[in-house]
Amino acid sequence: MQLRKLYVLYIGMFILIGIGCIVSVEAQAPKNPTIAVSSDAAGGNIWVMDTDGENQRPILEVGGDPVPLSLNWSPDGEKLVFHTHLKLNTDIYIVDGDGANLKRLTDHEAEDAWPDWHPSGQRIAFSTNRDGNFDIYTMTPNGVIQKKLVDDPANDLHPAWTRDGRKLAFSSKRGRTLGDVYTMDVDGQNLTNLTNHKAEDSQPAWSPDNEKIAWISFRPGNGQLFVMDAADGGNIVELIGYAGVKRDPEWSPDGRRVAGVGFGGGRAVVFTSNPNGEGDWKEIPDIGFPNRSPAWFDPGFIPEFSVTPIKARLLSWGWVKQVRLDN
């Protein structure tokens, strides 16, 4: 009798979860380390390639002005999220890693931009000015708005989660500066201004070990890429070696390289650099103009608690089987 009841529980949970999780089972993560890049090149707006620039191939042509921005892999590498300006609105979209199943997550007359995936895969932080100024909200990967994380009269932009999901970095124009990089706990506590400089500081990106933050600063006169300690903003290092303006910092999943975009001489190219300011710059071959928003995924560095709805279903199924076997 006990065994029969457990079988009923087993089947009932499977049916309920199957009904509640309508998701594509076709999405697959890249098998090798991969960088996704947005571009205005012929053939597509989002491209993927090996981390050395080889095997460049388009996966999606979605348009936008100028190109899709803030590309961001889901923690399991199965999907990409980004924002782009279409049909008079800036909205956030999601697509499988092979370019299939494009879905618009936000549809609002305000600007919704700069999405960043929580390492659990269960929510996405983004900036929106739907309340009159840019605040930071979260939503589910299905586009259901959850709550406001940062609420201030100033514009708060570029949210970035730590690898453990416990802290958030963002840029803000609060105070008298043109913009500073802040960090805080996800409950809003321990708000810290890391840069506190009269020049504009923005686009923070956490290192995988949560010890460093790469960001863009205009303190040299134009946008340049820097790295600092995440705890207090100390040990600032400028990543020199590429002439021109720099944007879009992104860490390699192993923390050994920092990717970015360099503008100059009519070009906008993706590069990678040693994060210690020691040079060792490597330029990735051009796709088209402009190249923007490199997003780096390595299947060997998936966060332990990263789950998609598909994986959550399988974990629940396995738990029920384990209960039956143990009893």
Side-chain angles (χ1 to χ4, degrees):
M1 180 63 67
Q2 184 179 11
L3 184 61
R4 181 178 299 174
K5 289 181 179 179
L6 286 169
Y7 269 122
V8 171
L9 177 61
Y10 183 104
I11 295 170
M13 286 189 66
F14 175 75
I15 293 172
L16 288 173
I17 298 171
I19 293 172
C21 297
I22 303 175
V23 294
S24 171
V25 298
E26 300 298 326
Q28 293 184 351
K31 300 297 189 294
N32 300 305
T34 301
I35 292 179
V37 174
S38 63
S39 176
D40 201 23
N45 300 119
I46 297 180
W47 294 63
V48 294
M49 58 188 169
D50 299 343
T51 57
D52 60 2
E54 296 296 320
N55 298 317
Q56 295 177 350
R57 55 203 183 277
I59 63 168
L60 180 67
E61 186 167 6
V62 67
D65 181 20
V67 291
L69 294 174
S70 195
L71 290 182
N72 193 258
W73 287 101
S74 61
D76 58 15
E78 293 184 358
K79 294 182 180 294
L80 283 161
V81 68
F82 59 92
H83 78 258
T84 194
H85 185 80
L86 289 173
K87 300 178 181 179
L88 303 179
N89 289 333
T90 298
D91 284 301
I92 296 171
Y93 295 76
I94 192 174
V95 68
D96 291 351
D98 61 2
N101 298 316
L102 177 67
K103 179 181 178 181
R104 187 176 186 170
L105 293 187
T106 63
D107 188 1
H108 198 281
E109 61 185 7
E111 294 184 58
D112 299 318
W114 307 111
D116 190 70
W117 223 303
H118 188 274
S120 68
Q122 297 302 295
R123 53 182 172 158
I124 296 168
F126 67 103
S127 295
T128 177
N129 64 351
R130 59 184 63 199
D131 294 329
N133 64 288
F134 278 98
D135 292 309
I136 296 174
Y137 279 75
T138 62
M139 63 179 167
T140 69
N142 289 324
V144 178
I145 304 299
Q146 292 181 316
K147 64 179 181 179
K148 185 186 293 188
L149 288 183
V150 180
D151 185 2
D152 190 89
N155 286 329
D156 298 317
L157 302 164
H158 311 118
W161 301 100
T162 52
R163 179 64 67 92
D164 59 13
R166 296 179 179 179
K167 296 182 75 70
L168 192 76
F170 60 97
S171 60
S172 179
K173 295 187 178 182
R174 59 188 72 189
R176 296 183 178 181
T177 67
L178 296 174
D180 281 310
V181 172
Y182 288 78
T183 61
M184 70 173 191
D185 299 340
V186 293
D187 61 1
Q189 300 299 308
N190 297 316
L191 180 68
T192 303
N193 184 342
L194 290 183
T195 53
N196 196 24
H197 196 279
K198 63 181 180 180
E200 180 181 350
D201 296 307
S202 64
Q203 289 190 275
W206 292 89
S207 63
D209 62 5
N210 303 330
E211 296 294 325
K212 299 284 186 179
I213 290 178
W215 89 102
I216 302 300
S217 179
F218 281 76
R219 58 192 67 186
N222 58 13
Q224 296 296 317
L225 182 54
F226 289 79
V227 172
M228 62 181 166
D229 290 345
D232 58 7
N235 294 318
I236 294 175
V237 175
E238 182 179 358
L239 303 189
I240 59 176
Y242 187 93
V245 177
K246 302 177 183 67
R247 291 285 193 280
D248 305 345
E250 166 83 340
W251 290 83
S252 65
D254 63 7
R256 296 180 179 179
R257 307 286 296 176
V258 175
V261 173
F263 294 82
R267 306 172 70 217
V269 299
V270 176
F271 61 81
T272 66
S273 171
N274 184 309
N276 298 320
E278 300 170 355
D280 190 26
W281 289 72
K282 296 180 181 179
E283 182 178 318
I284 292 177
D286 268 331
I287 296 174
F289 181 87
N291 294 322
R292 292 295 304 271
S293 297
W296 202 320
F297 174 74
D298 189 329
F301 292 88
I302 296 177
E304 291 183 4
F305 59 103
S306 167
V307 292
T308 62
I310 297 173
K311 289 187 175 68
R313 181 176 65 215
L314 293 176
L315 286 171
S316 298
W317 178 276
W319 178 80
V320 176
K321 286 200 299 184
Q322 188 64 46
V323 170
R324 187 184 67 82
L325 291 173
D326 289 345
N327 290 275

